[in-house]
Amino acid sequence: MYQSNRMWASASFVGVLIIIGMPLWWKTTEVYRVSLPYEKISSFKPLSHFVTTELKVLANDDATASKIVSEIQKAFAESDIIKIKIEKTVMSERQQHILRSVVDMEKAVEELASTLDLDQENIFHVVQKKSLSHNIWVGNERIMFFDDEKASETIVKALDGWIYQTSVLRGSRSDTPDQARSTRFPPESAYHITLSIVHPRPDTMKVVWNAAEAVEDYIGSFVDELSSLHNFTLKSQWLHLLDFDFQAREVKEVSEWGRHFAVRQDRLSLLLTRLEERAATHVSELSTINLALYIVPCDKAPIIIYDNEGRKNPLSIQAFMSPKWGGVVIASPPAEQCSQQVREFEPSVGQIMGAFVSHLRELLGITKKDAIEGAHLEPSRSVSPRRWEVDALLRIRTLEQVTSAERTLQSLAQLLEEISNIVINDEVGASIAAAVSELEAGAGEGAGADAARAGRAHAHAQRAFTHPGLLALLYFPDDQKYAIYIPLFLPIMFPVVLSLRILLLWFMGKPVHKEKTD
Amino acid sequence: MAFTNLMLVFIFNLLYLSLSSGIEIPEEFQKSNHTNNWAVLVDTSRFWFNYRHVANVLSIYRSVKRLGIPDSQIILMISDDMACNPRNPRPATIFNSAHEQINVYGDDVEVDYRGYEVSVENFIRLLTGRVPPDTPRSKQLLTDEGSNILIYLTGHGGDGFLKFQDSEEVTSQELADALEQMWQKKRYNEIFFIIDTCQASSMYEKFYSPNILATASSLVGEDSLSHHVDSAIGVYIIDRYTYYVLEFLENVHPNSQRTMSEFLAVCPKSACLSTVGVRKDLFHRDPSKVPITDFFGSVRPVILTTDPINIVETPKRKKKTENKTKIQVKRDYVPQFPMHLVQVT
């Protein structure tokens, strides 16, 4: 009887500790991990995305149109990065009349705009206009004029290099960054643009410049065109008494000054360091594009930048930009102002803002266009970017954000699978699910309307990856978890496990102790 | 006959290929493709008797600043309790040699994480980028895929861990995981990892991400020793490894041609008394062909503007009309004394 009491006591120990306790301990020490769509994430192929666009070819007769269309189709058939839907039409009598009668290209575009819809995004028109001075002509609107079917090769080159920028598209999708991606700011939903006017010697010269108005009008008009991609906050500030030693070499010459100061290009990066000390660009959590106007004091004027090969910068405006940082314009006052008693310098707003806008274009992703033989690209004479440049930028940013979102999700999934004891809380799970659903809804194909979807996917993926909660417990590695519990429970489990053998024997009815037999 | 000819041709080809094949790595793999430089300098210890660790870090900070990395790209984490310590006979200064020639604290030091903010959690958050949303930009490591990062750690360490602020530790596995997460998020191009503690090489043994070159002041089982005492201040003032590193860096200027392999050999056992450890299997370039300015100097590309926009007509931005009518708010003082509660007869 006592034996059965003892056995039941041992059995209850075994029951509580091993049958109830162990699973309870396992359940309560497991790490909270929201389930993630691992299969969907691993099925993403970042390098398979492409953009789609539409092209309309209009010619005087069907033969020319067919020839041009077939040439373009042949050139872009192999392309895995862009799929073009080409539509060909023969021009109506009215359109042909307009093109014959109007000689000025801009006016021709204006007149044609009534018959074609040039404001629709992502649709480009290739229109025949006889007796052009070059093979093709491209302006600010979504239209390209070509002379005749002999221009087909030039058309293909212009479409590849200027309009669709397939090399930049490829660079935005690739693993390693290309030149364009290293220059432009990484994709974000909003930026700050700060215009700083640097005036080292305010006691010697008065500078007349309305910074707020300049920023608002020039930069504001420029960024309004890109409002579908990013939000911009425009700021301006004056930095007085910020001096920088250019280590310029005086060069005598025949001019109103009699001299100029030569500054080497490799010295300019130190100016950026000096500007960063005072420009207070870290006040917000968004990236800041810094535009600085440096007013040279009279005794150091005029400054001319010499490049690394020792060649003088021939332009009337001395400016430079630094990738992913911003741009600087160095303005020297004219000689007659410096010779007066009361010096007043009014820098030319249009010229300086023109330099800043060209910096902004590159920093936001509108790349320089290389010259193509036989093709004429009308130089931009307004602050706004060309319509087709905005289309191209939308395509580039869409592709960049989609591939970046997919790569981020894939590396996050890999990390979370590898390090099995990171806590995945609800917010991270929700962000990942949102990003995956945006990507599955076809953010990858097309542009324009899907730029918004790509932006959201990218933002969700970034938020998931950089969520501060992925570090909350400074996750305990498994060996540390066991190192805590084993010294606590092993001594208790020892006699319980040992008594299991005796318990089993008793349950099976066998004699517990070996009976002595004579 | 034809067969022997074939064999001869084959053997000749083999010989030719083996003699001319890549002992020399082609030039394009040697050139670095980084676009900016960052430095993360951490002193993990506090209290007066660990003066030498702060002097270590600040000396590296001064060298790195002198060679061009701007403050906005240096993250300095020190406990900052030396310069104004009541036991400091030279207040507001920190020296790195008994001659007391250079005040490495100076008046323009920018400390990003000070005091108790130097913790394991903040360090790992800084590296992985998982900072709380209200962290200012100067406290974030805003690197990208083209950044070369110099990471310098000093303090008290042991086999597999580094002690932070005398109360917690970071293990080598956590550090390796943090660097792997940086690699996955493309937050660095190359990392040069220097650690000056006891048994320092145990901290880099667990690294598994590519493009990391690591060096440590001592191997597992060895102690890293300090260099000399300043009897006027009363504590050890600098560690041996960092002392010889600084001696080397004094001769480096922004256009220097010195290479990383010279840096890695900077402290022989006779000088350091502990063996300097190096880990180069994760680094794909040959250190003897990598200039030291790839990590200690700063690249800031500058592109001259050759085609400014010629703006013909002045643009005018369409102003959004704001219909905010300003209501005049009348303000006055709260009564100084609650007269309404006092019976005035």
Side-chain angles (χ1 to χ4, degrees):
Chain A
M1 218 243 328
Y2 292 124
Q3 196 185 54
S4 89
N5 277 348
R6 279 210 319 272
M7 291 306 153
W8 278 114
S10 300
S12 63
F13 268 104
V14 169
V16 168
L17 280 176
I18 297 184
I19 298 171
I20 301 177
M22 282 254 288
L24 191 67
W25 165 77
W26 191 261
K27 190 76 178 54
T28 50
T29 56
E30 81 175 3
V31 170
Y32 180 75
R33 286 166 79 94
V34 170
S35 70
L36 298 175
Y38 288 112
E39 307 80 33
K40 284 191 196 159
I41 294 177
S42 58
S43 72
F44 286 150
K45 279 192 262 305
L47 286 176
S48 72
H49 288 290
F50 55 89
V51 286
T52 54
T53 182
E54 276 184 56
L55 184 67
K56 292 205 167 108
V57 177
L58 290 89
N60 287 342
D61 52 86
D62 195 52
T64 324
S66 309
K67 172 92 183 341
I68 300 285
V69 166
S70 69
E71 284 289 312
I72 299 177
Q73 268 173 343
K74 207 166 62 180
F76 285 96
E78 305 286 304
S79 171
D80 64 332
I81 193 114
I82 185 163
K83 304 263 183 281
I84 312 178
K85 191 173 98 161
I86 313 182
E87 194 189 295
K88 77 169 180 223
T89 347
V90 178
M91 280 196 283
S92 67
E93 259 312 306
R94 190 172 123 73
Q95 289 170 327
Q96 294 199 27
H97 174 73
I98 295 173
L99 288 172
R100 264 197 304 267
S101 50
V102 179
V103 176
D104 182 51
M105 309 302 282
E106 311 268 333
K107 271 196 68 68
V109 173
E110 257 182 62
E111 303 267 323
L112 264 186
S114 53
T115 58
L116 300 166
D117 186 9
L118 291 178
D119 280 334
Q120 258 192 317
E121 280 184 10
N122 211 21
I123 301 183
F124 197 72
H125 301 84
V126 177
V127 175
Q128 184 174 20
K129 184 182 194 307
K130 288 267 181 208
S131 56
L132 279 181
S133 45
H134 307 262
N135 277 346
I136 62 169
W137 182 93
V138 184
N140 283 356
E141 301 289 329
R142 297 180 175 96
I143 191 165
M144 176 199 290
F145 290 125
F146 70 95
D147 202 357
D148 56 19
E149 59 184 44
K150 286 197 281 292
S152 59
E153 205 185 300
T154 326
I155 295 179
V156 164
K157 277 206 204 121
L159 285 177
D160 194 49
W162 291 348
I163 313 295
Y164 297 132
Q165 298 188 312
T166 44
S167 58
V168 179
L169 277 175
R170 205 158 274 126
S172 74
R173 188 180 70 171
S174 72
D175 221 11
T176 51
D178 65 336
Q179 171 80 4
R181 201 161 102 194
S182 315
T183 311
R184 63 175 181 252
F185 271 74
E188 276 181 49
S189 61
Y191 297 107
H192 280 242
I193 300 184
T194 305
L195 173 64
S196 316
I197 295 106
V198 183
H199 192 26
R201 305 277 302 277
D203 49 329
T204 59
M205 185 162 64
K206 180 164 139 83
V207 174
V208 176
W209 173 275
N210 190 341
E213 212 180 81
V215 158
E216 191 62 31
D217 285 336
Y218 288 81
I219 311 285
S221 313
F222 176 78
V223 299
D224 276 343
E225 304 287 325
L226 300 176
S227 55
S228 56
L229 268 175
H230 319 283
N231 271 337
F232 290 92
T233 309
L234 305 174
K235 304 188 283 199
S236 61
Q237 61 182 352
W238 282 77
L239 299 174
H240 293 291
L241 296 170
L242 178 70
D243 209 351
F244 179 69
D245 177 18
F246 280 98
Q247 282 185 351
R249 189 176 45 95
E250 191 169 343
V251 172
K252 297 266 184 263
E253 63 174 14
V254 179
S255 67
E256 52 175 10
W257 278 100
R259 58 148 198 240
H260 70 257
F261 285 91
V263 173
R264 287 194 334 268
Q265 186 179 348
D266 48 14
R267 186 91 192 129
L268 295 173
S269 54
L270 298 167
L271 173 62
L272 303 181
T273 312
R274 189 94 179 87
L275 284 173
E276 275 188 339
E277 287 173 25
R278 291 265 306 268
T281 51
H282 286 192
V283 292
S284 106
E285 54 184 19
L286 301 168
S287 300
T288 308
I289 305 177
N290 299 289
L291 302 173
L293 171 64
Y294 189 93
I295 310 282
V296 185
C298 277
D299 50 344
K300 302 260 175 36
I303 281 190
I304 295 192
I305 304 174
Y306 280 55
D307 67 7
N308 285 330
E309 275 94 44
R311 289 185 300 242
K312 197 165 123 164
N313 187 357
L315 299 172
S316 58
I317 186 139
Q318 303 290 319
F320 64 93
M321 75 103 156
S322 182
K324 291 192 180 168
W325 187 87
V328 178
V329 171
I330 302 179
S332 309
E336 71 250 39
Q337 276 301 326
C338 283
S339 55
Q340 287 176 11
Q341 193 72 323
V342 174
R343 299 168 179 170
E344 200 179 276
F345 176 31
E346 191 173 342
S348 146
V349 180
Q351 229 190 7
I352 291 174
M353 297 313 286
F356 280 136
V357 168
S358 79
H359 295 160
L360 266 183
R361 282 162 60 97
E362 290 236 15
L363 290 167
L364 289 171
I366 304 174
T367 52
K368 282 209 225 312
K369 312 284 182 291
D370 296 324
I372 296 179
E373 206 188 305
H376 177 78
L377 178 62
E378 191 69 20
S380 183
R381 272 189 282 274
S382 81
V383 158
S384 321
R386 303 182 176 105
R387 297 292 169 91
W388 45 269
E389 282 179 336
V390 178
D391 285 348
L393 185 59
L394 275 171
R395 287 191 284 263
I396 293 168
R397 285 296 196 194
T398 307
L399 210 51
E400 191 181 26
Q401 287 178 312
V402 161
T403 42
S404 153
E406 289 194 348
R407 284 207 183 94
T408 306
L409 285 175
Q410 278 182 336
S411 59
L412 182 59
Q414 190 191 355
L415 273 169
L416 292 175
E417 277 185 304
E418 225 173 82
I419 308 175
S420 59
N421 44 10
I422 282 190
V423 171
I424 308 176
N425 56 21
D426 292 323
E427 278 178 34
V428 173
S431 293
I432 295 182
V436 169
S437 71
E438 296 278 8
L439 286 170
E440 281 197 319
E445 274 61 89
D450 291 344
R453 208 186 279 279
R456 283 199 299 270
H458 176 81
H460 282 306
Q462 286 284 97
R463 206 173 310 131
F465 199 100
T466 58
H467 194 272
L470 279 176
L471 215 92
L473 291 176
L474 269 184
Y475 43 89
F476 290 108
D478 278 331
D479 52 350
Q480 285 189 17
K481 187 170 83 166
Y482 293 130
I484 293 172
Y485 286 107
I486 287 181
L488 282 177
F489 290 117
L490 195 63
I492 304 175
M493 300 296 282
F494 211 58
V496 170
V497 168
L498 280 181
S499 70
L500 265 178
R501 177 182 157 270
I502 301 178
L503 264 178
L504 273 172
L505 285 175
W506 181 70
F507 270 125
M508 287 198 295
K510 299 255 177 55
V512 173
H513 296 290
K514 258 172 95 162
E515 288 190 2
K516 266 205 203 153
T517 50
D518 284 324
Chain B
M1 189 59 189
F3 179 69
T4 49
N5 270 344
L6 205 61
M7 280 306 292
L8 274 173
V9 168
F10 182 63
I11 293 169
F12 179 74
N13 274 335
L14 265 180
L15 275 173
Y16 175 74
L17 282 172
S18 67
L19 284 175
S20 70
S21 67
I23 307 162
E24 272 293 317
I25 306 174
E27 212 35 59
E28 44 295 355
F29 290 118
Q30 295 302 323
K31 265 169 60 71
S32 172
N33 49 358
H34 68 284
T35 54
N36 52 69
N37 284 80
W38 283 73
V40 176
L41 309 173
V42 184
D43 164 32
T44 60
S45 59
R46 61 187 300 117
F47 304 132
W48 175 246
F49 48 83
N50 291 321
Y51 187 102
R52 59 190 186 281
H53 296 141
V54 180
N56 284 352
V57 173
L58 286 176
S59 316
I60 301 282
Y61 170 74
R62 291 286 164 201
S63 307
V64 144
K65 251 177 86 151
R66 178 176 57 85
L67 291 170
I69 303 187
D71 267 313
S72 54
Q73 288 171 221
I74 302 178
I75 306 280
L76 183 61
M77 299 173 72
I78 58 176
S79 64
D80 211 11
D81 59 347
M82 297 301 160
C84 300
N85 196 309
R87 293 168 75 169
N88 191 350
R90 313 266 185 271
T93 61
I94 296 179
F95 295 107
N96 63 356
S97 100
H99 301 293
E100 296 182 13
Q101 282 156 343
I102 320 169
N103 170 15
V104 286
Y105 199 66
D107 50 5
D108 60 343
V109 66
E110 274 189 30
V111 180
D112 296 301
Y113 286 83
R114 53 161 40 96
Y116 286 108
E117 290 172 352
V118 181
S119 64
V120 174
E121 184 183 336
N122 282 348
F123 181 55
I124 302 287
R125 280 191 191 282
L126 174 82
L127 286 181
T128 53
R130 300 205 172 104
V131 290
D134 51 354
T135 313
R137 274 175 91 80
S138 55
K139 276 174 136 165
Q140 292 182 31
L141 191 63
L142 302 165
T143 52
D144 55 34
E145 50 205 346
S147 306
N148 274 10
I149 313 180
L150 170 75
I151 302 182
Y152 179 85
L153 300 174
T154 185
H156 289 291
D159 189 358
F161 66 90
L162 178 59
K163 192 164 74 159
F164 261 74
Q165 303 278 302
D166 223 32
S167 62
E168 45 179 11
E169 300 159 357
V170 65
T171 57
S172 50
Q173 184 62 49
E174 278 175 6
L175 195 51
D177 285 341
L179 291 177
E180 171 68 11
Q181 293 182 50
M182 284 178 79
W183 175 249
Q184 291 290 331
K185 197 64 186 81
K186 291 189 190 312
R187 277 165 69 80
Y188 71 88
N189 178 35
E190 285 170 349
I191 288 184
F192 183 42
F193 182 83
I194 313 177
I195 178 161
D196 185 1
T197 67
C198 302
Q199 308 197 51
S201 66
S202 62
M203 288 307 284
Y204 63 59
E205 292 301 339
K206 293 252 175 77
F207 287 174
Y208 54 98
S209 321
N211 291 355
I212 302 181
L213 179 63
T215 180
S217 61
S218 55
L219 299 177
V220 174
E222 287 180 350
D223 284 341
S224 218
L225 303 165
S226 47
H227 194 254
H228 62 274
V229 163
D230 181 354
S231 41
I233 296 184
V235 280
Y236 278 94
I237 207 128
I238 190 130
D239 276 334
R240 279 182 182 262
Y241 179 69
T242 308
Y243 178 82
Y244 289 104
V245 161
L246 290 173
E247 225 179 48
F248 175 81
L249 287 178
E250 264 168 34
N251 298 325
V252 171
H253 53 86
N255 303 326
S256 180
Q257 296 296 318
R258 310 290 281 267
T259 63
M260 288 307 290
S261 55
E262 289 178 49
F263 184 92
L264 294 172
V266 79
C267 199
K269 194 164 163 109
S270 52
C272 259
L273 304 181
S274 56
T275 324
V276 167
V278 173
R279 180 147 184 213
K280 16 184 205 204
D281 60 316
L282 295 168
F283 194 63
H284 299 302
R285 296 193 287 155
D286 181 5
S288 62
K289 291 195 173 50
V290 176
I292 194 141
T293 48
D294 268 8
F295 293 103
F296 283 89
S298 181
V299 158
R300 194 82 91 113
V302 156
I303 304 174
L304 295 181
T305 310
T306 51
D307 55 349
I309 308 280
N310 180 15
I311 303 174
V312 165
E313 48 170 88
T314 320
K316 202 82 185 137
R317 195 184 195 189
K318 302 175 275 293
K319 277 204 198 7
K320 294 185 278 277
T321 47
E322 292 175 3
N323 286 333
K324 272 203 279 200
T325 44
K326 282 210 163 88
I327 305 165
Q328 278 286 64
V329 175
K330 185 138 171 43
R331 299 176 205 274
D332 55 24
Y333 286 100
V334 173
Q336 299 290 306
F337 194 78
M339 287 307 296
H340 59 283
L341 296 174
V342 175
Q343 292 277 18
V344 179
T345 43

